[in-house]
Amino acid sequence: MIEAHVVGELNRRLYEREWDDYLHVRHDIYVKEKRWRPESPDGREVDQFDTPDATYLLGIEDGEVVAGARLIPTDRPNLACDVFSCMCDVRGVPRHRNWADWTRTFVVPGKRSASRRGTLFQLFCASMEYCVGEGIEYAGGIQETYFLPLFCMMDWCVRPLGMPRVVAGEWSVVAYIRCDDAALAGVRRLLGSDCPLLVRRGEQKPFIPHAVAA
């Protein structure tokens, strides 16, 4: 199983090597493999949404970054609302503090498999564990439609905001998943494990600021 380390603005200094590896893996996947973005001279993939508002899950196994995800409150600049708002043409653009734009979800090629207990579903589990723990109501955004049947396998409640369209050669849709105890139980049932996957080190700020007062 992976360990999904929660990394943000306040504790990133604890993950200097892992953070650098994470950005290099993103470059391998989103620049070299998917060709979504131009080549970066330093071999790291960073976009305009890598801001202090973002929280990252770094899936680490045997000391190596093998998976990752990024979550940003939808009331802050994010990919779905600020770049693909035209694909929210049925239910509108979500601008909610307790909704998360869930993007840059990846598994390195050597760890990809169709197994229901594989790295991808472990990352799904860690992401849902984080969302439920932080009080996030919905998480999602622009994503390839091939994820939708995987969400159904976990009995996740999926809410599309518009119709699918071809984006960068892939059928994609803006959709959000309900984050609650039932969703977490669904993915844990598929994995056959209820062991927590999140690792928290150092100081972290809550995803929803008012959670401090609560």
Side-chain angles (χ1 to χ4, degrees), residues 5-211:
H5 290 252
V6 182
V7 179
E9 176 190 19
L10 301 181
N11 71 338
R12 191 175 301 166
R13 59 181 177 78
L14 302 176
Y15 292 93
E16 289 184 359
R17 180 186 64 81
E18 293 86 353
W19 179 253
D20 193 57
D21 291 346
Y22 164 75
L23 294 181
H24 277 92
V25 172
R26 275 181 37 174
H27 191 274
D28 288 342
I29 292 173
Y30 297 106
V31 175
K32 294 181 179 180
E33 180 182 338
K34 293 182 175 289
R35 301 184 184 278
W36 285 1
R37 292 174 54 78
E39 186 113 8
S40 172
D42 64 4
R44 299 175 180 86
E45 196 267 325
V46 178
D47 69 11
Q48 68 268 41
F49 304 116
D50 289 305
T51 71
D53 295 314
T55 298
Y56 304 85
L57 301 183
L58 272 56
I60 297 175
E61 188 174 76
D62 298 326
E64 301 295 326
V65 176
V66 299
R70 178 180 68 187
L71 296 116
I72 302 170
T74 61
D75 70 342
R76 306 302 300 161
N78 68 84
L79 192 62
C81 297
D82 293 278
V83 177
F84 293 101
S85 59
C86 61
M87 294 180 65
C88 306
D89 53 345
V90 174
R91 287 181 166 157
V93 176
R95 289 289 190 187
H96 311 299
R97 191 65 185 88
N98 61 345
W99 285 37
D101 184 65
W102 179 9
T103 56
R104 289 303 188 262
T105 301
F106 69 81
V107 173
V108 298
K111 291 292 182 179
R112 296 173 188 170
S113 75
S115 170
R116 298 185 180 188
R117 298 187 178 182
T119 303
L120 180 60
F121 285 98
Q122 294 172 38
L123 180 62
F124 285 162
C125 186
S127 301
M128 186 58 66
E129 185 182 333
Y130 176 81
C131 290
V132 172
E134 293 290 321
I136 296 168
E137 185 176 356
Y138 281 90
I142 178 73
Q143 55 203 288
E144 294 92 336
T145 54
Y146 61 71
F147 279 120
L148 301 184
L150 304 184
F151 298 156
C152 291
M153 289 170 61
M154 298 177 284
D155 295 324
W156 283 4
C157 179
V158 182
R159 180 179 183 178
L161 300 191
M163 298 299 293
R165 301 184 189 183
V166 176
V167 177
E170 296 275 0
W171 278 99
S172 301
V173 66
V174 174
Y176 287 78
I177 301 109
R178 173 75 181 179
C179 301
D180 54 21
D181 290 336
L184 182 56
V187 63
R188 284 179 168 171
R189 184 168 54 248
L190 197 72
L191 280 179
S193 172
D194 59 0
C195 293
L197 298 179
L198 289 186
V199 176
R200 295 180 181 268
R201 295 172 55 204
E203 186 180 2
Q204 296 177 8
K205 60 184 180 181
F207 191 85
I208 304 172
H210 64 67

